Amino acid sequence: MSRASFKLGYLAISMSAALAIPGTGFAQQADANAESDESMERIVTLGSRVNGRTATESASPIDIISAEQLVNTGATELGKALQMSAPSFNFSSTTISDGSDIIRPATLRGLNPDQVLVLVNGKRRHQQALVNVQETIGKGSAGYDINAIPITAVARVEILRDGAAAQYGSDAIAGVINITLKSSEGGSVSAEIGQTYEGDGEVNTIGVNFGVESDNGFFNGTLEYRDRGMTNRASSAEASLIGDWSSPSGDPVVRLHIGDADSENLYAWFNSGYNFSETTELYAFGGISSRDGGSSGFFRGRGHPRTIEAIYPDGFLPKLETEADDQSLAVGIRGDLPNAWLWDASVVYGKNEFGFNSSNSANVSWYYEPSPDGGIYGETPTEAFDGELVFEQTTFNLDFNGTVDIANELLYLAVGLEMRRDGYQINPGDPVSWAYGREDDRSLEILTPEGDLAEPGIQGFPGFGPRQVVDADRDSYGAYIDAEYYVTPDFLLAGALRYEDYDIAGDNISGKLSARYDIDNDLSVRGTMSTGFRAPGVQQIYYSQILTNVVGGTLVETATIANNDEIAKQFGIEELKEETSESVSLGLIKRFNNGFDITIDVYQINIDDRIVLSEPLQADVGSQFADILEENQLGAVQFFTNSVDTKTTGLDVIASYPTEFMDGILNLTAAMSFMNTDVEQVNSVSSLIPGEQIFNDTQVLRLEEGQPSEKATLSGDWTRDAWNVNLAFNYFGPVEGQAFTGVRHEWGGKWLTDLSIGYDFTDSLNVRIGANNLFDTYPDEWGSAGSPFSDAGFKYGWETFPFGINGGYYYARLNYTF
């Protein structure tokens, strides 16, 4: 069967299931205040719009990760805690990758960061402004800043491991992550200190959560502060990449900063509800976060045109200081309608700002005078504001849900409307950050005293100039219908349809059909078929950056061209369109009398027209291509294009077993994820550019092997009286890459061990000590395969770090509840 006939055939089935009975409906979020702690861990608001449905009753695989589980990982960042709790979730570490060092790429089922949808309290969350443009996981994407939400504010996290674009809209190709905020009465004060075995990477965290309840509603607030110090795992430089890196004394010297960036974080979040009456509730939630980061670029040595030795006689390491500010606010009202129907109207606003600042740097072309004798101005700023990226999103939802009685069986129905506006801005930096010379006159040739052409822009991260300034937005509209019906008491059938229309990228219909059959009380099977889509992000449509470089001894411009730019059209680049997907999954749920449970889910996700960032393309592409480059005074260009078709297959296995052990309760859990992605086809989007050049073998390898194909967590949690012991073994499978060197290299799989011990001094006071990566495990060393980068200090590689390169980390945590 062709893909087209598959899509049309089962969309018709989905439509017939969803439209069997006309009606409207959207499930109101389960009121956490009315549930016990035990019920909160079982009842989900994700994957089904039926109130009170539990994870074990769902037709789709859902992970539920409690606040206690997140805290017990020892991680202080939400993204890292999820990576240690959910095998299908990956939170890759990055270094010397500009802004990606601060906002790390978060992925689900091995897909891109922007192919998973993130919700907070069931409402769509805004994405990040930063576009990953370096050689990292998720290159070309702009996902979600998971770490903008403090762990202290989180009640639980639900992860739907299933395509859900028909239910929740664009982006939900790999699945959906729903972060539920705390709403309970009382509160807590927690503090954690820790550092790596090497003595760096100090972490200091303090969090306060407090909640009040009354007959009319509730308010829960969170304040958190976290300071994370830098780590550095660079080795001594045995070779130089840019100039002379040797020390004046001739002794070995470390020239690079390879590891975690500095990060200072402040959070203020809240969750609230107010009952106007017995049938109507006003709710609001949101928060702000502010993060200051510090990372580094490449070292510039003596004797190189990029080094002004009058300022930096021994060379210099440019610093990148970033500011990531995030704000969000959701306000809504919901209530009851006749015949047990519910309604919910909400507006959600979110804004993410990412500012770049350079220090310990210089603009060489600003320093030297454009004159035949190579005169010197004698000064240039050594720091500058490089510009700012801003993403804004406003979403309006109107939803209804309820039931219709059919032959004494209930048909659960939900319908809704969504309107959304996405906005994107690029604000320019200081002139010294981007200009070629003080007048930014490209017709001049600014020479150093040695006769070299002066480098433009500030070193490390050249800023955004006036030509990159953009302030644009896009509107979209959506409507969905969702239905669930028990054909028999043991057979659940669910269907969903969603239509969305975008100002840019056009319209799309997605459908989903799910079924679950309980063979008996202890054995169930489930499966889904769905189509999905992801509209191109406004970040991908409007992002651009133009740098002036020396190519062939001549000053030319190298550009990331915005997809809708006239220059892109000259190269035959088409405007971005939506990615489309087809997903199939099949699962088995088995429960044993002794409490042992196991779920097994297999899946396949086919994605057509994936959006990628092309290679930098130069004149050797072809004569016509070279003529256009020359006409626009460009030396190289790269574009965002719909160039790749992929197939991802996988297997998720989760098992749990509670038992008594040594007069206590022992909960054993095994969670394993096996995943494989194949690039089925690379499509050229231009008659001028061959497919193998627009997306080469290096980029294909990163998509296929850059993330672990196998990931597992085996854990035991033992509690007796006031004692609690948590032991976890985390496996990260091998990864491969060839960026920077062009030589394919594999880093082997590794097991990491985490151990923590907690003690309740009173009912309110708990102290926990622990170690993550107890046995100080590191990735394989790069060795000679990484030359010349391994000779410059990249001991463990560069491109892909599934679990980082920090080694062991130990910590102590105190928690007081009231």
Side-chain angles (χ1 to χ4, degrees):
M1 179 182 291
S2 69
R3 287 188 176 183
S5 60
F6 170 86
K7 180 176 180 179
L8 292 175
Y10 99 78
L11 274 179
I13 297 173
S14 297
M15 182 177 291
S16 64
L19 299 179
I21 294 292
T24 59
F26 175 79
Q28 185 179 14
Q29 178 183 326
D31 185 357
N33 295 307
E35 304 295 339
S36 67
D37 290 341
E38 181 180 358
S39 296
M40 283 177 60
E41 298 306 319
R42 298 175 61 246
I43 294 177
V44 296
T45 59
L46 192 64
S48 170
R49 290 187 165 90
V50 176
N51 285 327
R53 178 144 295 165
T54 67
T56 57
E57 295 170 340
S58 172
S60 301
I62 300 175
D63 301 327
I64 304 177
I65 304 167
S66 68
E68 183 180 11
Q69 288 174 284
L70 293 172
V71 169
N72 284 351
T73 63
T76 55
E77 301 173 342
L78 181 58
K80 195 67 177 178
L82 288 175
Q83 183 186 37
M84 298 164 70
S85 305
S88 58
F89 181 89
N90 189 39
F91 194 64
S92 182
S93 298
T94 55
T95 186
I96 313 185
S97 298
D98 297 336
S100 298
D101 290 353
I102 299 299
I103 300 182
R104 293 172 172 173
T107 67
L108 190 67
R109 285 186 160 179
L111 300 184
N112 268 353
D114 52 11
Q115 290 169 330
V116 58
L117 176 62
V118 175
L119 311 175
V120 176
N121 283 355
K123 304 295 182 181
R124 176 183 283 266
R125 179 164 171 79
H126 61 280
Q127 293 179 319
Q128 66 196 43
L130 178 72
V131 182
N132 298 307
V133 295
Q134 298 296 331
E135 301 296 320
T136 66
I137 299 303
K139 181 181 178 182
S141 67
Y144 296 85
D145 185 1
I146 294 290
N147 283 346
I149 303 173
I151 289 182
T152 308
V154 176
R156 67 183 184 278
V157 178
E158 303 162 0
I159 300 179
L160 172 64
R161 294 177 279 112
D162 202 6
Q167 295 172 290
Y168 298 101
S170 176
D171 306 344
I173 290 178
V176 182
I177 299 173
N178 182 39
I179 300 166
T180 300
L181 303 177
K182 290 178 180 177
S183 57
S184 56
E185 190 174 22
S188 65
V189 178
S190 60
E192 180 172 321
I193 58 173
Q195 66 176 25
T196 69
Y197 289 9
E198 293 290 327
D200 58 7
E202 299 89 351
V203 175
N204 298 284
T205 302
I206 184 167
V208 179
N209 176 263
F210 54 93
V212 293
E213 292 181 358
S214 71
D215 293 339
N216 293 326
F218 72 96
F219 179 89
N220 188 279
T222 297
L223 299 172
E224 183 175 300
Y225 171 80
R226 181 175 70 252
D227 183 41
R228 185 189 74 193
M230 64 166 283
T231 63
N232 194 2
R233 298 297 176 267
S235 56
S236 298
E238 299 177 3
S240 301
L241 295 177
I242 303 174
D244 181 4
W245 289 23
S246 63
S247 65
S249 66
D251 296 329
V253 61
V254 174
R255 290 301 194 186
L256 295 173
H257 168 202
I258 304 173
D260 286 351
D262 283 316
S263 178
E264 186 175 19
N265 307 260
L266 282 169
Y267 304 93
W269 277 71
F270 80 99
N271 188 21
S272 65
Y274 179 78
N275 299 320
F276 283 123
S277 67
E278 293 183 358
T279 61
T280 307
E281 179 193 22
L282 173 70
Y283 61 90
F285 59 87
I288 59 174
S289 69
S290 177
R291 185 179 320 154
D292 294 332
S295 57
S296 302
F298 254 95
F299 187 78
R300 274 73 166 157
R302 297 185 302 273
H304 193 274
R306 296 183 181 184
T307 303
I308 303 172
E309 295 191 24
I311 302 176
Y312 301 111
D314 294 323
F316 68 104
L317 183 68
K319 303 292 186 181
L320 181 63
E321 298 169 359
T322 53
E323 299 176 6
D325 294 317
D326 193 278
Q327 307 104 43
S328 64
L329 176 64
V331 178
I333 187 168
R334 56 193 173 199
D336 298 340
L337 290 171
N339 300 318
W341 280 70
L342 305 171
W343 63 278
D344 186 331
S346 64
V347 176
V348 183
Y349 172 78
K351 183 177 183 179
N352 184 267
E353 302 169 279
F354 199 95
F356 298 87
N357 301 270
S358 289
S359 64
N360 197 53
S361 187
N363 183 334
V364 179
S365 70
W366 192 280
Y367 183 79
Y368 294 111
E369 183 178 68
S371 64
D373 60 0
I376 298 175
Y377 279 114
E379 62 180 29
T380 175
T382 57
E383 59 184 32
F385 171 61
D386 298 325
E388 181 185 48
L389 306 175
V390 182
F391 176 77
E392 289 185 275
Q393 184 177 89
T394 303
T395 305
F396 170 77
N397 287 98
L398 177 61
D399 306 293
F400 301 88
N401 88 296
T403 60
V404 175
D405 195 323
I406 304 177
N408 296 321
E409 289 292 340
L410 294 179
L411 173 68
Y412 298 90
L413 287 175
V415 297
L417 301 172
E418 180 176 284
M419 293 180 289
R420 188 166 78 248
R421 170 163 290 187
D422 297 332
Y424 196 60
Q425 299 175 34
I426 299 179
N427 298 320
D430 298 334
V432 71
S433 76
W434 50 266
Y436 174 59
R438 292 174 181 264
E439 303 300 327
D440 190 33
D441 186 348
R442 265 59 173 186
S443 67
L444 300 174
E445 285 194 351
I446 302 175
L447 305 177
T448 68
E450 292 74 26
D452 297 304
L453 287 168
E455 296 280 347
I458 203 157
Q459 293 297 299
F461 187 89
F464 297 98
R467 298 174 65 180
Q468 288 84 61
V469 170
V470 66
D471 185 356
D473 53 50
R474 174 186 66 186
D475 294 331
S476 64
Y477 307 88
Y480 72 88
I481 184 168
D482 198 339
E484 296 186 28
Y485 183 71
Y486 276 97
V487 180
T488 71
D490 299 320
F491 180 34
L492 172 65
L493 184 65
L497 278 177
R498 190 181 188 98
Y499 171 79
E500 296 205 53
D501 185 17
Y502 283 76
D503 284 354
I504 303 172
D507 59 358
N508 183 86
I509 296 178
S510 296
K512 182 174 182 177
L513 180 65
S514 302
R516 174 194 172 102
Y517 182 69
D518 297 326
I519 298 173
D520 56 38
N521 291 334
D522 298 322
L523 180 63
S524 303
V525 293
R526 61 190 178 196
T528 65
M529 295 187 297
S530 65
T531 59
F533 83 108
R534 191 190 73 81
V538 289
Q539 304 95 318
Q540 295 170 319
I541 295 171
Y542 295 113
Y543 182 86
S544 67
Q545 191 172 26
I546 301 177
L547 309 175
T548 306
N549 290 321
V550 179
V551 178
T554 306
L555 281 170
V556 293
E557 291 189 320
T558 303
T560 300
I561 302 294
N563 189 263
N564 64 341
D565 194 288
E566 287 298 321
I567 296 178
K569 296 178 181 178
Q570 294 180 37
F571 288 102
I573 301 298
E574 302 172 355
E575 290 192 4
L576 291 177
K577 60 183 180 181
E578 74 274 13
E579 303 173 346
T580 58
S581 68
E582 296 167 357
S583 303
V584 179
S585 66
L586 183 65
L588 177 72
I589 306 167
K590 176 62 179 174
R591 296 167 291 272
F592 295 87
N593 292 332
N594 60 359
F596 177 68
D597 293 340
I598 185 170
T599 64
I600 302 173
D601 292 277
V602 296
Y603 61 90
Q604 178 172 307
I605 306 170
N606 295 325
I607 307 176
D608 289 341
D609 302 318
R610 283 181 68 161
I611 298 172
V612 296
L613 181 59
S614 76
E615 287 297 295
L617 304 168
Q618 298 184 356
D620 56 3
V621 169
S623 59
Q624 188 176 353
F625 191 93
D627 291 342
I628 300 173
L629 282 176
E630 184 177 0
E631 178 185 341
N632 290 280
Q633 297 182 308
L634 296 172
V637 289
Q638 58 184 3
F639 313 92
F640 291 92
T641 66
N642 294 92
S643 290
V644 176
D645 299 339
T646 63
K647 179 176 71 174
T648 299
T649 55
L651 168 67
D652 295 331
V653 180
I654 298 178
S656 62
Y657 177 58
T659 185
E660 294 183 2
F661 179 73
M662 294 181 61
D663 297 326
I665 300 299
L666 175 64
N667 291 303
L668 299 173
T669 302
M672 294 163 282
S673 178
F674 305 89
M675 176 275 300
N676 180 71
T677 293
D678 292 315
V679 174
E680 302 264 275
Q681 187 170 326
V682 177
N683 311 301
S684 176
V685 296
S686 167
S687 59
L688 303 181
I689 311 170
E692 63 272 13
Q693 287 187 285
I694 207 165
F695 199 70
N696 68 7
D697 290 345
T698 297
Q699 310 304 322
V700 169
L701 183 62
R702 185 184 299 113
L703 273 186
E704 293 185 335
E705 304 294 344
Q707 299 188 71
S709 295
E710 303 95 31
K711 192 165 171 280
T713 297
L714 308 176
S715 65
D717 187 270
W718 178 76
T719 300
R720 192 183 83 177
D721 300 327
W723 290 95
N724 174 263
V725 179
N726 188 282
L727 176 65
F729 304 96
N730 297 289
Y731 177 72
F732 297 85
V735 294
E736 296 184 55
Q738 64 181 42
F740 311 110
T741 65
V743 178
R744 183 168 179 165
H745 185 74
E746 178 180 298
W747 287 266
K750 300 291 183 180
W751 282 97
L752 275 65
T753 303
D754 302 334
L755 174 65
S756 67
I757 301 172
Y759 183 78
D760 295 327
F761 284 93
T762 69
D763 291 341
S764 300
L765 181 62
N766 173 268
V767 173
R768 178 172 293 271
I769 59 172
N772 292 341
N773 193 357
L774 179 67
F775 299 112
D776 202 25
T777 300
Y778 285 89
D780 294 338
E781 295 185 11
W782 207 352
S784 60
S787 183
F789 296 97
S790 55
D791 302 324
F794 285 91
K795 186 176 183 179
Y796 301 109
W798 186 358
E799 183 179 6
T800 173
F801 294 140
F803 58 89
I805 57 173
N806 288 338
Y809 169 85
Y810 60 92
Y811 63 91
R813 180 181 181 87
L814 181 147
N815 187 73
Y816 178 79
T817 60
F818 55 88

